[in-house]
């Protein structure tokens, strides 16, 4: 069985963009918390017997839908909470991401993602900040958003150069996903994500300030109130996302 990047046929591409500076804080969680959110036809994935959720903030740059740039909607932030599932199709192992909730700063972006993919996007005021050293390498990356009048933020602190991801590492498990699944009324939507293997920095320090219960529900407090099991900054790359496909009844 394989889990590797596969080129999406151009006729199937819905969205292209650059995903850059992905700040990822990864938390171990009781799999029982996630099981109610697992899309039909998939199963929870784990690394060395451990189940994870990740808080992720990153930049969408030069975003195009069906090849067309949309004015005022090309460059923006996203913050999401995600977990990991797998599905075997004809001997191919599709390691995938499921999003619990995503924040973006534009209502039109949220509406499109919710309508096309059945995701759970919410439009909120958002900003970001990137600090760099004299060589223009990032040293601090922060994403912030306002929800119910309160400020929330995720930040990572790094130094030096990004490095290749080791085979079999936790960083590989977190970053190497080329499929996504979303629960929809009456079924599951599957879509493909194309990008090269990424390079990362291991964060020397990280910050997460937010109201877990208000944003995601009380069942996530125990896992997300603890220190993250790991924190990384992903360099990012151009990406392509396919059109969604509704899975047949399983």
């Amino acid at each position: 069985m394989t889990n590797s990047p596969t080129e999406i046929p151009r006729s199937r591409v819905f969205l292209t963009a650059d995903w850059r500076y992905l700040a990822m804080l990864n938390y171990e969680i009781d799999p029982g918390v996630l099981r109610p959110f697992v899309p039909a036809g998939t199963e929870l994935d784990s690394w060395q017997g451990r189940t994870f959720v990740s808080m992720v903030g990153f930049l969408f740059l030069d975003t195009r839908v069906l090849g067309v740039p949309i004015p005022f909607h090309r460059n923006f932030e996203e913050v999401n909470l995600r977990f990991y599932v797998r599905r075997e199709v004809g001997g191919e192992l599709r390691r995938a991401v499921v999003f619990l909730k995503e924040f973006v700063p534009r209502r039109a972006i949220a509406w499109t993602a919710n309508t096309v993919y059945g995701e759970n996007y919410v439009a909120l005021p958002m900003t970001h900040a990137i600090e760099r050293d004299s060589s223009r390498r990032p040293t601090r990356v922060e994403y912030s958003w306002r929800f119910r009048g309160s400020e929330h933020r995720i930040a990572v602190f790094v130094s030096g150069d990004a490095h290749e991801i080791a085979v079999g590492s936790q960083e590989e498990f977190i970053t190497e996903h080329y499929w996504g699944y979303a629960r929809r009324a009456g079924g599951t939507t599957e879509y493909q994500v194309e990008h090269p293997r990424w390079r990362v920095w291991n964060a020397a320090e990280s910050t997460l300030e937010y109201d877990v219960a208000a944003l995601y529900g009380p069942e996530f407090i125990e896992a997300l109130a603890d220190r993250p099991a790991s924190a990384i900054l992903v360099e990012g790359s151009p990406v392509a996302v396919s059109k969604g496909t509704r899975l047949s009844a399983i």
Side-chain angles (χ1 to χ4, degrees), residues 72-218:
F72 310 110
H73 293 77
R74 291 180 65 182
N75 303 323
F76 54 91
E77 304 89 356
E78 177 176 321
V79 170
N80 63 62
L81 179 64
R82 72 188 210 175
F83 67 97
Y84 307 98
V85 299
R86 56 191 287 167
R87 178 173 180 247
E88 186 181 345
V89 180
E92 176 193 5
L93 179 62
R94 296 182 176 177
R95 288 205 133 114
V97 169
V98 177
F99 295 103
L100 290 159
K101 189 176 290 186
E102 300 110 315
F103 304 130
V104 289
R106 299 280 192 275
R107 288 188 177 90
I109 298 166
W111 181 88
T112 300
N114 294 341
T115 302
V116 173
Y117 295 103
E119 297 285 10
N120 187 19
Y121 273 81
V122 178
L124 298 173
M126 301 184 73
T127 60
H128 73 278
I130 300 175
E131 298 176 7
R132 303 176 186 273
D133 64 17
S134 59
S135 299
R136 303 298 298 161
R137 296 173 300 194
T139 57
R140 179 178 180 273
V141 177
E142 176 185 293
Y143 299 93
S144 61
W145 65 102
R146 291 192 64 81
F147 180 72
R148 295 180 181 174
S150 297
E151 193 79 13
H152 308 263
R153 63 176 48 83
I154 177 175
V156 293
F157 302 79
V158 299
S159 62
D161 295 317
H163 59 266
E164 302 293 335
I165 298 172
V167 174
S169 65
Q170 186 185 124
E171 290 83 4
E172 182 184 56
F173 172 78
I174 295 295
T175 61
E176 290 294 293
H177 295 88
Y178 301 101
W179 296 88
Y181 293 95
R183 297 192 308 164
R184 304 192 72 158
T188 297
T189 297
E190 175 187 72
Y191 55 93
Q192 189 176 353
V193 181
E194 177 189 324
H195 65 77
R197 190 175 176 91
W198 283 328
R199 289 157 40 92
V200 303
W201 291 265
N202 293 103
E205 185 181 345
S206 64
T207 300
L208 183 59
E209 299 174 1
Y210 68 147
D211 186 333
V212 176
L215 291 171
Y216 303 112

Side-chain angles (χ1 to χ4, degrees), residues 219-232:
E219 63 267 42
F220 291 94
I221 291 176
E222 182 176 353
L224 297 178
D226 204 353
R227 289 179 60 84
S230 63
I232 58 177

Side-chain angles (χ1 to χ4, degrees), residues 231-248:
I232 58 177
L233 178 65
V234 179
E235 196 171 45
S237 69
V239 302
V241 181
S242 75
K243 300 171 184 176
T245 300
R246 184 71 66 93
L247 297 186
S248 302

